[in-house]
Amino acid sequence: MMPSWMLRAVRASSGLRGRLIGTFVVVMVLGAAAAAWAGVQQSTASLIRSHTDSAAAELISRVTQASPSVRYPPRQDSLDQLRNAVGVNSLVSFDDHISRSGFFASGWESVPPDLRSAITTQERSDEARVSMQRVESDGAPWLVIGTPVMITSPGGQRTASGIEVYAAYDLTGVDEQVDALVRNAATTTALVLPVAVLLAILASRSVLRPVARLRATAQSLASGDLTARSESAGVDELAQLTRTVNEMAESLQSSMESMAQMEEGSRRFAADVSHELRTPLSTLTAAVEVLHDVLARADYADLSDEDARESAELAFHETQRLVTLVEDIMEVARFDAGTTRLRRETVDVAEVAQECVSIRGWSDDVRITRVPESSASERTSTVCADRARLDVILANLIGNAVTHGDAPVHVEISTRDGGVSVAVIDSGPGIPPNDLPFVFTRFYKTDASRTRTHGSGLGLAIARENAIVHGGTLTAQNRDDGGAEFTLWLPVNVPDASETPKEDLP
């Protein structure tokens, strides 16, 4: 019986280890069973052959010794004499006379017809051969052997005497020996099983140890440790696989380092450029504002002065747009560098949305509702968030709906899933299906049919990044009844993620 620790080891094995152990055990057990069965078959055949040969030789010897003293033609006493010489469990016959004992007490009924036919056939030849047949009697196995008695003339010619001799030998002992061989073979096979399991476990450990190292290396690489490597030894397939994985890790590390350097360079470049543009843009903005105010107060009548006024208006608006673009690029750079700082406070999302709409002059086009309606004292839309960044999110979403959709724009505020949800829904044609997956991509702009103003393509991307740093989500979809819907969800509780920035950007 298999030891309990081996059973636990087998049960604990799964996957490749289990298949290896199972295959190894099956092969060993089948091999042991095949060898044992072949041994049993060979031993059984050899044992039966030896017993039958011994019985046949014994019968021939006794008949040869006793037949010269038998008077021919034999009388009943001569048949009895020959039967006694052959031994118990024998039968001797001549014509209608028969002498029998033991196994043949019932007479010819105990002699197999095929065996007697073979003996009768030999009586018509000049050769006498022993014939035998295995039979069952009362559930016991017997070997019945028959042979004719031949007479040799003075001239050496052999003729059949007409005397038939039969002897029966009990094979119970032989069958018991065969059964013992089978039991020994089964026992040997059973003993092989625990040994096979032990050897399989040891073999699987040696085979799977490199695989385990490769798995650990792959897990380290997946977790971000690009320096992880596996020790390679030998020249087999697993060693070749290990070297290939190490080469792949080297290539991956090199590529990731290059990409990280390029990404860091890009972020630093954007931050540096934005920083360097700040001072001249501030000066330019101040100068353009002064020029705009001067031209707005003056009363010019000629066309050239009107052109100057339009140029000043254009310069003023484009300068403001450039300033906004630089600020947006710096904000994106902060998100990429992980330096975004949150100044959390308890704010009412509905109040922030109302202020955002009122300050920007969107009150005629925007409708703000609470779903379901609730009293102001219940404060169902209260969250812990950065008020300024929440205003940026709402301004981008509502401004996008006002600019690119049609009025009225509905802002529906509700509570769900442990947070506050803000749905901004416009009345326009919706977002083109091909553009919907990319609306939060930086610098991405939809087709001209939906665009009535020129934007940088950073507003929605910044809104989504601000939602993420708050632990929330921002999604976009088209409504079945028309119009685009942007849904902001913010958790009521402060997320556990650390808000400590990596480094400060200008």
Side-chain angles (χ1 to χ4, degrees), residues 154-457:
Q157 184 178 1
R158 293 172 57 83
T159 58
S161 65
I163 302 174
E164 301 174 19
V165 179
Y166 299 91
Y169 298 89
D170 190 357
L171 295 180
T172 301
V174 177
D175 279 6
E176 290 177 352
Q177 294 181 38
V178 171
D179 292 340
L181 290 175
V182 173
R183 286 194 299 271
N184 291 338
T187 302
T188 302
T189 304
L191 292 176
V192 167
L193 182 59
V195 177
V197 172
L198 178 60
L199 293 177
I201 293 174
L202 296 177
S204 65
R205 287 181 179 178
S206 63
V207 171
L208 295 180
R209 189 175 294 111
V211 177
R213 288 197 297 264
L214 283 176
R215 182 181 62 183
T217 301
Q219 290 175 341
S220 299
L221 291 173
S223 63
D225 182 11
L226 299 181
T227 61
R229 300 291 184 273
S230 294
E231 181 181 354
S232 175
V235 294
D236 57 8
E237 289 78 2
L238 287 175
Q240 294 175 5
L241 177 60
T242 301
R243 286 191 289 270
T244 301
V245 171
N246 288 338
E247 292 172 359
M248 179 193 68
E250 291 284 353
S251 177
L252 178 62
Q253 181 180 10
S254 177
S255 299
M256 293 299 293
E257 289 176 351
S258 299
M259 292 178 62
Q261 292 174 0
M262 293 173 61
E263 185 178 358
E264 178 63 26
S266 299
R267 288 199 302 264
R268 184 61 62 180
F269 175 76
D272 291 344
V273 169
S274 300
H275 177 68
E276 293 299 326
L277 287 176
R278 262 184 166 181
T279 301
L281 276 177
S282 299
T283 304
L284 180 60
T285 301
V288 170
E289 288 178 350
V290 171
L291 178 60
H292 179 267
D293 293 340
V294 169
L295 292 177
R297 291 194 303 271
D299 184 14
Y300 296 98
D302 55 24
L303 180 62
S304 60
D305 291 336
E306 185 63 29
D307 291 341
R309 183 180 291 106
E310 292 179 358
S311 297
E313 289 285 349
L314 180 61
F316 175 75
H317 290 298
E318 290 300 316
T319 302
Q320 293 297 324
R321 180 171 175 269
L322 184 57
V323 171
T324 302
L325 176 60
V326 171
E327 291 295 335
D328 287 347
I329 293 176
M330 291 190 64
E331 184 72 355
V332 170
R334 293 189 189 97
F335 286 128
D336 289 342
T339 60
T340 304
R341 298 179 182 273
L342 296 182
R343 296 178 176 85
R344 291 187 181 271
E345 58 181 306
T346 301
V347 296
D348 188 339
V349 177
E351 291 182 0
V352 176
Q354 191 65 53
E355 292 176 4
C356 173
V357 170
S358 178
I359 291 173
R360 292 168 176 82
W362 296 332
S363 299
D364 294 338
D365 299 325
V366 180
R367 304 288 183 268
I368 300 176
T369 58
R370 294 175 184 257
V371 182
E373 293 289 344
S374 60
S375 63
S377 60
E378 292 180 357
R379 314 294 283 179
T380 57
S381 57
T382 299
V383 296
C384 186
D386 187 317
R387 189 182 190 92
R389 291 189 179 276
L390 178 57
D391 178 75
V392 170
I393 299 174
L394 296 175
N396 277 314
L397 296 181
I398 299 173
N400 181 75
V402 171
T403 303
H404 300 294
D406 290 336
V409 174
H410 297 278
V411 179
E412 299 178 352
I413 302 174
S414 61
T415 57
R416 64 176 177 84
D417 302 331
V420 176
S421 175
V422 181
V424 180
I425 307 166
D426 64 41
S427 301
I431 304 172
N434 293 335
D435 295 324
L436 188 58
F438 308 104
V439 293
F440 297 111
T441 303
R442 298 173 184 177
F443 297 106
Y444 186 83
K445 298 181 181 180
T446 58
D447 57 32
S449 64
R450 184 175 168 84
T451 305
R452 297 207 298 256
T453 60
H454 299 285
S456 65

